[in-house]
Amino acid sequence: MKVVNLKQAILQAWKERWSDYQWAINMKKFFPKGATWDILNLAEALLEQAMIGPSPNPLILSYLKYAISSQFDDFSRDLCVQALLDIMDMFCDRLSCHGKAEECIGLCRALLSALHWLLRCTAASAERLREGLEAGTPAAGEKQLAMCLQRLEKTLSSTKNRALLHIAKLEEASSWTAIEHCLLKLGEILANLSSPQLRSQAEQCGTLITSIPTMLSVHSEQLHKTGFPTVHAVVLLEGTMNLTGETQPLVEQLMMVKRMQHIPTPLFVLEIWKACFVGLIESPEGTGELKWTAFTFLKIPQVLVKLKKYSHGDKDFTEDVSSAFEFLLKLTPLLDKADQRCNCDCTNFLLQECSKQGLLSEASTNNLMAKRKADREHAPQLKSDENANIQPNPGLILRAEPTVTNILKTMDADHSKSPEGLLGVLGHMLSGKSLDLLLAAAAATGKLKSFARKFINLNEFTTHRSEESTKAASVRALLFDISFLMLCHVAQTYGSEVILSESNTGGEVFFFETWMQTCMPEEGKILNPDHPCFRPDSTKVESLVALLNNSSEIKLVQMKWHEACLNISAAILEILNAWENGVLAFESIQKITDNIKGKVCSLAVCAVAWLVAHVRMLGLDEREKSLQMIRQLAGPLYSENTLQFYNERVVIMSSILEHMCADVLQQTATQIKFPSTGMDTMPYWNLLPPKRPIKEVLTDIFAKVLEKGWVDSRSIHIFDTLLHMGGVYWLCNNLIKELLKETRKEHTLRAVELLYSIFCLDMQQVTLVLLGHILPGLLTDSSKWHSLMDPPGTALAKLAVWCALSSYSSHKGQASSRQKKRQREDIEDYISLFPLDDMQPSKLMRLLSSNEEDANILSSPTDRSMSSNLSASQLHTVNMRDPLNRVLANLFLLISSILGSRTAGPHTQFAQWFMEGCVDCLEQGGRGSILQFMPFTTVSELVKVSAMSSPKVVLAITDLSLPLGRQVAAKAIAAL
């Protein structure tokens, strides 16, 4: 049978519309053995006819695959190879399939097989060319190699083809390994060829192939921007309110912001340093300044060490850090102001610390130090005469860090063996600002919890008495008092969770933990003065009242200080009643309060703790004597008969009492003069203007930060106070309203960055409110759709994506200390809002119109799965009892319904912007991504949108780790 007659017969048969394609495969029985030409012409004829239509049928490709796999390992047969290459030329950039999902996966596999064959053919051609060059006959091999490379280039230059190959690689890992081997072999052969053009062409093809597995992780970085308010605010928020937090959550949050905003690493690191210097300049004197110093010079270098692990290479990261410092050195006014505030060359200290942590090379460090030194010489005199003798805080903090380690070792020793030596160590800690320096250094290096635990153990040790001398009793009293005061100070400065988070593993609850949980006033904690914890054993109370009233001073030997602390509240009630009823005169009250604060200051702290709770329950006209008693307890005792370190202990006591009384004193407009501690102990107290609605305060402060372009420390505290007062829903709802009022694009984009920063105060709860309440309300109410138009609608979509990503990436970790302190309001019962039974429509979904496809046209199980609301999260068996998971699942269900609805409007555009935001911020829509909650049906709806109809988008939004996800992606891409 002649070839031409065979072709004509096939074409004629095709034209007569044979319904059964199987005849084509059966025709091979007519071919004599080895009749390769006939198979080729069969495939070619079918392809020629198929090209009359819009695209080649996948069945045609299967014939080509059959031809390739059956007889074409012999690449020396030039005509056969050329014919196959010609066939590939016809379809390699025009592949598509509108069939079932399984057929689309078949197309991916066939293309992978064709690529493998083409690479083997290219390698064989290159080998022949090399042999021909050696023999002096290069022509034939060179022509075939050029043809192979041309087809490779044509096949791989199509993003659609690379996407299909990406899916095929995940389907058949072994085939991809074979392709990688072929690529290595080809590289070795081509390295010996003299033609630069052929080598360059082959290298380009190799680059395209190796880029297929990572084709989703390439994002263009923002090179036109130099300021990033979100990074600035995240760092400022952490330094101001969460020094004790672990570094890893901060690292992950910063990396999330970097990835979401595509920030280049040098500018990212620069923004971190800028925020640190601003924090140093803004920080209030005293503890606030020490906290910021520890954060900048101890914690942030550790954060950068962890960020280094996320970079592509150590060398690259050190170069980026060096570049960041080069940029920083150009901000001379900022550095000069920080140097003036800290009374030292801050940059020098920072460079030394970064060099010590391996973040900078020695050469870079020396170069940068020299530049800053030269710059400072031209600056105004930074070190004034009056500050010449003051030691700079950065130097003190860096020296305090190893001291913390040594103190922790000392605290591990047996306290009973040398209590006097331990008391000497603690005494030194109390002098000047030593305690706050050590606590700040411990907090910044993650050692504060261990520090607190050791002081709890010490305090507990002092409650166990044995036979003791007067001196031993005095040491025991001092150890009890100092440890108690230190722990109260730590709780007030860094939060009570530092004390309570590491509970005793032995099950025994220590005295201080019990007292702090039940008796210590804190922000947001209301104490009941009639609680049983304030009503201990009545006989012991009577003994204590008698001791305080009759004795000239309290005897130390065998004194049970912890019992006295627990009984003092009931004793104070008895004394207060006696005073109010005229049984005791004011002189007696003075003697009693002097006795209370004369030996151990902790008794006065416990007494005031109860008085604060008691005053809250009284009317304004009933508070006078209670407040007078607090005033008596707050002042120091001027006596020579006090125990060691009395003045130092009184300073800490006064600071503790001032914090305890702040709320009550503000309510009653009462003034109590606490002994001066030489520092502003409550720098961010009383921030809100009196008699002004909090909504006005909110809109005013937001307008100011929007105009300024960044959130400062004071604004952060105001927003935090408003969050406490108004609650999460109130704050979030009102700020979103402010965003939707903006009409200028640059203002809305700036507002998104600032709102994200503010929402970081409690991102988890804000996200639940935003995605579970505010967005569904806007998307399902047609009267509000106009507010979702561009630019505010685009900005809100971006903000929603950022909040969803941040919360989902961190919600399996622990809440930060600043979030744990906040009382949770009942936003709504998420289980009733989004019921667990997927057959039962939720409140949200009842608002949506039905958009079901005709089930009759769906013939395969895969297609039926794809038509339902099934999502990857259900196949991964994600816990849907988790509120955030439910909110995300229902939001994506709502978005899918909007995209498939026959009614279009601004809400449809918003749904598209939201999905675009997800694609822009994510590298892969696989397990662990918020896109796993998206129903598979959304993919087919999205490819109808021009902005989303690209192979990369389909790959990005689909969970390719699942077979069903790959089939969904293959079907969507093959149809493009």
Side-chain angles (χ1 to χ4, degrees), residues 643-934:
L643 293 177
Q644 204 175 356
F645 309 119
Y646 184 71
N647 291 338
E648 292 85 349
R649 287 183 288 129
V650 163
V651 168
I652 300 174
M653 178 191 79
S654 298
S655 169
I656 293 165
L657 297 186
E658 187 175 1
H659 277 83
M660 278 185 176
C661 299
D663 274 335
V664 164
L665 297 182
Q666 185 186 29
Q667 286 171 7
T668 54
T670 308
Q671 294 280 322
I672 290 183
K673 185 168 172 56
F674 293 92
S676 174
T677 58
M679 59 183 72
D680 184 1
T681 53
M682 300 183 70
Y684 293 112
W685 180 249
N686 204 12
L687 288 168
L688 300 185
K691 298 181 181 178
R692 193 176 174 199
I694 58 172
K695 189 177 178 184
E696 277 184 29
V697 178
L698 180 67
T699 52
D700 184 50
I701 191 70
F702 181 67
K704 284 178 181 174
V705 297
L706 189 60
E707 186 181 351
K708 195 190 305 187
W710 53 282
V711 186
D712 57 50
S713 299
R714 189 173 185 279
S715 301
I716 285 173
H717 279 273
I718 291 174
F719 282 119
D720 191 51
T721 306
L722 290 168
L723 181 57
H724 276 283
M725 293 180 76
V728 178
Y729 181 84
W730 175 86
L731 183 94
C732 185
N733 191 38
N734 283 303
L735 285 175
I736 295 301
K737 284 178 183 175
E738 293 303 307
L739 171 64
L740 294 177
K741 286 178 191 173
E742 292 295 335
T743 53
R744 291 170 58 186
K745 188 173 182 179
E746 62 271 25
H747 272 204
T748 58
L749 293 175
R750 187 191 297 173
V752 168
E753 294 193 317
L754 296 173
L755 284 172
Y756 176 84
S757 313
I758 296 161
F759 289 170
C760 283
L761 285 165
D762 199 346
M763 183 58 78
Q764 293 287 323
Q765 295 296 305
V766 166
T767 304
L768 288 175
V769 165
L770 178 61
L771 305 188
H773 290 261
I774 295 171
L775 284 189
L778 289 168
L779 291 169
T780 55
D781 185 347
S782 57
S783 66
K784 295 177 181 175
W785 287 352
H786 67 279
S787 64
L788 296 174
M789 294 175 73
D790 194 32
T794 321
L796 179 57
K798 179 180 277 194
L799 178 64
V801 170
W802 287 5
C803 291
L805 287 172
S806 297
S807 291
Y808 191 72
S809 67
S810 65
H811 89 295
K812 289 181 174 62
Q814 290 186 340
S816 73
S817 58
R818 63 174 181 270
Q819 291 170 9
K820 282 181 187 171
K821 283 189 283 187
R822 184 163 299 108
Q823 296 294 309
R824 294 276 178 256
E825 70 246 34
D826 292 328
I827 303 167
E828 190 172 330
D829 180 2
Y830 284 94
I831 299 298
S832 67
L833 181 67
F834 311 126
L836 284 168
D837 179 6
D838 290 315
M839 298 304 292
Q840 177 192 352
S842 67
K843 275 192 228 173
L844 178 63
M845 292 315 297
R846 285 199 296 273
L847 298 169
L848 309 175
S849 59
S850 175
N851 182 43
E852 294 296 323
E853 291 185 41
D854 183 4
N856 296 328
I857 63 168
L858 301 163
S859 55
S860 75
T862 300
D863 289 308
R864 281 196 294 276
S865 297
M866 287 159 62
S867 75
S868 68
N869 288 324
L870 185 68
S871 69
S873 62
Q874 288 162 287
L875 297 177
H876 286 310
T877 59
V878 170
N879 175 21
M880 295 310 288
R881 288 186 177 276
D882 182 281
L884 182 60
N885 290 349
R886 295 197 72 74
V887 164
L888 284 167
N890 280 273
L891 179 64
F892 276 106
L893 204 55
L894 172 56
I895 282 171
S896 182
S897 176
I898 290 169
L899 290 170
S901 172
R902 295 184 181 88
T903 308
H907 67 307
T908 315
Q909 192 69 60
F910 179 89
Q912 293 171 18
W913 290 328
F914 183 85
M915 293 307 301
E916 284 174 24
C918 290
V919 173
D920 185 51
C921 294
L922 287 176
E923 292 180 358
Q924 174 66 50
R927 190 170 190 171
S929 149
I930 60 169
L931 283 170
Q932 68 177 312
F933 296 100
M934 177 192 72

Side-chain angles (χ1 to χ4, degrees), residues 358-393:
L359 296 166
L360 283 171
S361 66
E362 191 177 345
S364 291
T365 306
N366 294 335
N367 177 39
L368 292 162
M369 282 179 174
K371 284 184 180 179
R372 179 59 187 154
K373 186 179 179 183
D375 206 20
R376 275 169 62 90
E377 285 171 5
H378 299 297
Q381 186 63 28
L382 291 171
K383 200 168 185 178
S384 62
D385 293 336
E386 62 198 50
N387 291 336
N389 297 323
I390 299 174
Q391 285 188 297
N393 283 334

Side-chain angles (χ1 to χ4, degrees), residues 114-127:
L115 176 65
H116 187 204
W117 177 84
L118 194 50
L119 279 171
R120 285 164 52 220
C121 185
T122 308
S125 304
E127 186 67 44

